[in-house]
Amino acid sequence: MLVEDLGELRGPVVVFGGPYSNLAATRAVLAAGAGCALICTGDVVAYCAEAAETVALVRASGASVVAGNCERQLAAGEMDCGCGFEDGSACDLLSAGWYAHADRAVGASDRRWMAGLPDMVRFTHAGQRYAVIHGGTQEIARFIWSCSPEAVFAQEGAMITALSGPVDVVIAGHSGIAFQRDVAGLRWINAGVIGMPPNDGQTGTQYVRLEDGAPQICALSYNAEAAAAAMEKAGLVQGYHRALRDGWWPSEDVLPDQLRRRARASG
């Protein structure tokens, strides 16, 4: 596992996940993070239409980027996103369309950049020791939710300590829905993703801001209509273009029951 140590970061830090080839959302989060240290939890490329443009913008921003499963798969020339979706599931079937589009768009230089990205970023901030990963330590595409069993967090925390030393806070991405949870002797934060709404019926997305020792999950507003229109123009109309407008995922089979549309809409 490749670990990048950023040392001590002073001032505000913005951590964001899953740009997902959503150029409009990426522009918005970089504007929100102007003057801040920037860290991305990976999956720069995924569901949306503007893969090459989004990679170029993230690279130009100087953000530290943790490799997501999409980066690892594209760098290796693999034919799917590497999420490990069950064959024939909605997620599996829908991923084939957007991944093929991304695979056509991403060039050799960007794939070499992806191949060199770290698996973990460490830093200290306001006296706290942080580790940033994508999904999990041994399984890059591990889905960890706010409702996952405590044993999952304990296992991941132990692995992070074994790989790079003790931490106070873990920030992860991948699963797409932001949360904070104090569990197994550490604070676990999922930064959410900026490229797709968190299955809550809203168009806004999420990121994390660290300031004065207090991590906050922040709402990100951006031009979702422009991102959806770009998907339609590219022929990416398998359902995620609608999610940008109505805030609901077209594929919920990866989600725990309490995070699915019916439960969240009634709650």
Side-chain angles (χ1 to χ4, degrees), residues 10 32 38 44 54 92 125-126 185 251:
R10 299 179 182 273
L38 300 170
V44 176
T54 302
D92 175 54
H125 184 264
S251 52

Side-chain angles (χ1 to χ4, degrees), residues 77-117:
E78 299 291 346
M79 298 307 295
D80 62 58
C81 67
C83 281
F85 298 134
E86 184 177 345
D87 288 346
S89 67
C91 288
D92 175 54
L93 296 172
L94 291 174
S95 70
W98 64 254
Y99 186 83
H101 175 81
D103 190 45
R104 290 190 296 269
V106 176
S109 173
D110 289 333
R111 292 174 196 258
R112 288 192 295 270
W113 170 75
M114 292 173 179
L117 293 174

Side-chain angles (χ1 to χ4, degrees), residues 232-257:
E232 290 171 338
K233 183 177 179 180
L236 293 173
V237 291
Q238 296 87 1
Y240 290 107
H241 66 301
R242 289 193 297 272
L244 295 181
R245 293 187 173 112
D246 67 21
W248 297 111
W249 297 0
S251 52
E252 290 194 313
D253 41 14
V254 72
L255 285 167
D257 287 344

Side-chain angles (χ1 to χ4, degrees), residues 162-250:
L163 289 165
S164 66
V167 297
D168 302 298
V169 185
V170 176
I171 304 181
H174 185 61
S175 62
I177 300 177
F179 67 88
Q180 295 194 58
R181 182 174 169 185
D182 292 319
V183 59
L186 52 78
R187 170 163 290 192
W188 189 284
I189 302 172
N190 192 294
V193 297
I194 62 166
M196 195 64 59
N199 202 47
D200 64 352
Q202 305 295 320
T203 59
T205 59
Q206 300 169 300
Y207 66 97
V208 165
R209 184 181 179 97
L210 312 178
E211 195 161 11
D212 299 325
Q216 292 186 322
I217 295 172
C218 301
L220 181 69
S221 297
Y222 76 98
N223 190 343
E225 180 57 38
M231 292 184 72
E232 290 171 338
K233 183 177 179 180
L236 293 173
V237 291
Q238 296 87 1
Y240 290 107
H241 66 301
R242 289 193 297 272
L244 295 181
R245 293 187 173 112
D246 67 21
W248 297 111
W249 297 0

Side-chain angles (χ1 to χ4, degrees), residues 57-151:
L57 189 58
V58 170
R59 293 185 66 176
S61 75
S64 297
V65 181
V66 172
N69 51 284
C70 289
E71 282 78 44
R72 287 287 181 252
Q73 293 294 97
L74 287 165
E78 299 291 346
M79 298 307 295
D80 62 58
C81 67
C83 281
F85 298 134
E86 184 177 345
D87 288 346
S89 67
C91 288
D92 175 54
L93 296 172
L94 291 174
S95 70
W98 64 254
Y99 186 83
H101 175 81
D103 190 45
R104 290 190 296 269
V106 176
S109 173
D110 289 333
R111 292 174 196 258
R112 288 192 295 270
W113 170 75
M114 292 173 179
L117 293 174
D119 302 289
M120 182 190 302
V121 166
R122 285 183 58 98
F123 64 94
T124 60
H125 184 264
Q128 299 285 294
R129 299 164 296 186
Y130 287 80
V132 183
I133 61 173
H134 180 63
T137 48
Q138 290 184 302
E139 183 184 347
I140 192 171
R142 187 176 197 180
F143 289 96
I144 298 177
W145 311 100
S146 57
C147 54
S148 292
E150 183 172 353

